Amino acid sequence: MSFRVTRPLHSLILDDVRGAQKMLSGVARVTAMEGSRHLSSLVGAPVHLKCENLQRTGSFKLRGAYVRISGLRPEQRAAGVVAASAGNHAQGVALASSLLGVRSTVFMPVGAPLPKVAATREYGADVRLHGHVVDETLAAAERYAAQTGAVFIHPFDHPDIIAGQGTVGLEILEQCPEVRTILVGVGGGGLAAGVGLAVKSVRPDVRVVGVQAEGAAAYPPSLAAGHPVAIEAPSTMADGIRVGRPGDVPFALVREFVDEVRTVSEDALSSALLLCLERAKLVVEPAGASPVAALLSDPKAFQGPVVAVLSGGNVDPLLMQRILRHGMAAGGRYLSLRLRVTDRPGALATLLAVLTVVDANVLDVGHVRTDPRLGLTEAEVELHLETKGPEHCVEVRDALRDAGYVVLG
């Protein structure tokens, strides 16, 4: 079955999303909706998690990619497709192309995580590593398209892509008809535009809230200006929403159908990822955890029932390790300290005994005795501790000070 939006770029309607939903039947999973007791208690109303991290390829991107490629004319399919991505879009295009029998070439940055590169190849794409930042990779893909005639598949700035992503919104209304607020992460805006269009067309009373990382928040200034505005050097751990400029097509729809775009901190993102892992038993990438970060940052701001879209779960294990430590620190579960102690036999054992009394788990100890900043009889100890929360961190610091130690940081 083929599908293609044929009206002007900014005139998507509900029927386009419904057509995409029919076409995706048997291709994209209807992902689970999981309740969260912990988040529900914080918000004071039911909170449900829409698990697109459990979608085929690990994110919602397959939906839009399949709809876009299925709409190509026979001669375009014969020329193949090309895309540029560091992860989720790459895998979505690769699998969609394989399912449709279309040759795909995907350009990825040289430093792209190896598991994402391997997965993209396994889905059938010819992967080419080029550039160290996504802009360089994107330019290489566009040059390839111009030279070979392959069709460039943009990650968010096309109506077919948005129609496919909008099927997430239709599923939410079917799975949780009583929903009052939907939270969705925003990068270029394709998912938020599609969800907003689908949901508001059926249920204009439902509030749709976009969430961006503070360091990559191009939508707030763009909405204020009334047109897409580029920001310089977007920076966030949430690479899935690290986009410097909104797409022209999704911007028009976000402006019309999304009620608000909020921003969240890096601490909130890492805490949200940790919460999803510990409480919901779900592996979620930072971009996918952004709606949960918004709930943690301001839980009383949202009328329930609330649905938070977990847009993806493709996270590099090494990045996951760093984020979890960051999340534990942000949540008061991990404490790093430097102290001055008297350099004498048994001093370190005495210090550790204090920590035993307050039940702090020692993960790592660094002991410096030869720094010129230290006095003749002094040593500096760096401690990395596992703690039970913010109140326990305060208890540990107080116990050390009461024992006569100078806590430097």
Side-chain angles (χ1 to χ4, degrees), residues 63-103:
R63 298 172 183 263
Y66 190 89
V67 173
R68 173 75 173 101
I69 297 169
S70 72
L72 298 179
R73 298 186 301 276
E75 65 272 20
Q76 291 176 311
R77 292 193 185 199
V81 299
V82 61
S85 168
N88 290 346
H89 181 58
Q91 294 173 66
V93 168
L95 179 56
S97 299
S98 294
L99 293 173
L100 291 164
V102 176
R103 184 178 68 258

Side-chain angles (χ1 to χ4, degrees), residues 251-289:
F251 175 80
L253 295 166
V254 168
R255 184 171 57 177
E256 182 175 357
F257 294 111
V258 175
D259 296 283
E260 177 188 6
V261 176
R262 291 183 166 234
T263 61
V264 293
S265 68
E266 298 297 285
D267 282 352
L269 286 168
S270 57
S271 295
L273 187 148
L274 182 61
L275 184 145
C276 289
L277 187 63
E278 285 191 323
R279 298 299 184 96
K281 315 307 178 193
L282 292 168
V283 175
V284 182
E285 62 190 90

Side-chain angles (χ1 to χ4, degrees), residues 42 51 146 190 211 215-216 245 344 409:
L42 290 178
C51 299
V211 184
R245 182 187 183 278
R344 57 177 175 78

Side-chain angles (χ1 to χ4, degrees), residues 153-243:
I153 306 299
H154 198 283
F156 51 82
D157 207 12
H158 193 280
D160 288 352
I161 294 285
I162 295 169
Q165 320 306 28
T167 60
V168 175
L170 294 182
E171 288 179 16
I172 290 172
L173 295 181
E174 293 164 0
Q175 294 171 306
C176 185
E178 67 277 16
V179 63
R180 300 293 300 172
T181 304
I182 297 173
L183 295 168
V184 57
V186 181
L191 179 61
V195 169
L197 165 65
V199 170
K200 289 289 193 177
S201 298
V202 179
R203 288 276 307 281
D205 59 302
V206 174
R207 186 169 181 80
V208 179
V209 179
V211 184
Q212 290 205 291
E214 287 179 352
Y219 262 90
S222 297
L223 291 169
H227 57 83
V229 173
I231 59 172
E232 293 186 7
S235 176
T236 174
M237 70 175 75
D239 58 339
I241 54 175
R242 190 172 58 218
V243 177

Side-chain angles (χ1 to χ4, degrees), residues 310-335:
L310 307 183
S311 58
N314 292 316
V315 56
D316 178 52
L318 296 177
L319 176 61
M320 171 72 87
Q321 184 180 38
R322 295 197 299 269
I323 292 171
L324 289 179
R325 291 184 67 132
H326 188 270
M328 290 180 69
R333 303 269 303 285
Y334 185 84
L335 180 63

